Amino acid sequence: METRGSRRPLLLSAAVLLVLAALAAVLTLAVRGSDGRPSAAGAPAGRSGPTGPAPVDLAALVDGYTAGFTPGGPYTAPDAGQRRAIADGVLGALDGQAEQAGRSLARVGYRLTEFTEAATGRRVAEIADGADAGSRGWGRVYLDLSARAGWSVQVPHPVSDARTEALGVDLFRAEPGGVLVLAGAHRRAGADGASDVAHRADTVFAAVVEALTGRGLPGIQVHGFDEGSLPGQDAVVSSGAGQPGPAAELTATGLGRAGYAACRAWREKCGQLGGTTNVEGRFAAGLGVPWLHVELGNGLRTEPARRAEVAGVLAQTVRGWAAGRS
């Protein structure tokens, strides 16, 4: 027969088990969060937690990358094999062949990574130099993975043409399916103009743009000028060495509707701002692929609201290409 004394250990054991179960339930709620989903509490800020990597602000990323670009800064001219390896890596990423692209890039110290872009929520691939924050000056490429690649925005003179790098990001965000090609040094970093990628064919920038153009992707290359060199004009639009197509007129008209005076280089005198010696433009003209050279005055690049308006106009041009209208 069970006595009062013999039941006491059993009651104590049951009480201990109930306390432990309650603690386990509290800990589970703390870890999972009130909505029942895993919580990132305890994960370092901006780093991977149970819910995955934190979104990345592309504008801040590009600003951080270009912050140190100065005349006379570091630049090492790439050889033909290095240029080809990076261009092949970009094309591999474009085709969804991440492993193949990674191998090609790794041969020259480049890497392929992916992240979610904070402003758009889209997946983006970054192709970047893994060596000492890109001290070779070869640049970066960003691919929007949310849609089939259909166009590129090219930034050959970041910092030198103030805030063209920010305009490149604005346009990249404005329309899916873009490829942002960003030079990796100030245009006067290399000796004898070696880092001026708009006028040198022996650069990583030129190799990547040529690879994209060879796939038929139209491109917009953004530049900046001092308004004092062309009084009365806010912008210059041209097709470089190519024949002006509907995209050039569409862009100039769009800038005009936004309230900006745009010089049409194919029918007006626009100083030396027509981009006729641009190597990427000449390559596109040789293949008959649409390509635009857009020069913008200081205010259209450095003032965020006006820059956003310009990005909106250029996005309309991109949509025209996608629809086959320009």
Side-chain angles (χ1 to χ4, degrees), residues 61-62 65-66 69 74-78 82-83 86-87 90 105 108-112 125-143 154-158 165 179-186 189 194-195 197 202-209:
L61 185 65
V62 168
Y65 174 58
T66 60
F69 289 9
Y75 182 76
T76 302
Q82 291 166 328
R83 299 194 301 268
I86 296 170
V90 171
L105 295 168
V108 293
Y110 260 59
R111 54 176 169 72
L112 171 65
E126 177 189 71
I127 293 172
D129 198 338
D132 190 23
S135 62
R136 292 181 289 187
W138 292 353
R140 292 183 176 182
V141 181
Y142 294 94
L143 292 82
Q154 306 157 18
V155 185
H157 299 147
E165 64 276 11
V179 182
L180 169 59
V181 188
L182 182 68
H186 193 282
S195 61
V197 299
D202 57 349
T203 66
V204 167
F205 183 94
V208 169
V209 172

Side-chain angles (χ1 to χ4, degrees), residues 1 35 37 49 75 91 103 119 128 170 175 203 223 227 232 255-256 282 306 325:
M1 177 181 293
D35 60 357
R37 292 179 296 188
Y75 182 76
L91 292 182
R103 286 197 301 268
D170 286 350
E175 191 68 18
T203 66
H223 292 259
E227 292 96 329
L255 289 170
R282 288 185 169 184
R306 299 175 79 186
R325 295 193 302 269

Side-chain angles (χ1 to χ4, degrees), residues 174-234:
E175 191 68 18
V179 182
L180 169 59
V181 188
L182 182 68
H186 193 282
R187 70 183 299 177
R188 290 190 291 276
D192 300 320
S195 61
D196 184 357
V197 299
H199 299 99
R200 294 288 294 249
D202 57 349
T203 66
V204 167
F205 183 94
V208 169
V209 172
E210 288 178 6
L212 297 173
T213 306
R215 288 289 186 90
L217 270 66
I220 298 176
Q221 193 168 115
V222 292
H223 292 259
F225 73 100
D226 180 356
E227 292 96 329
S229 64
L230 196 64
Q233 299 291 349
D234 298 305

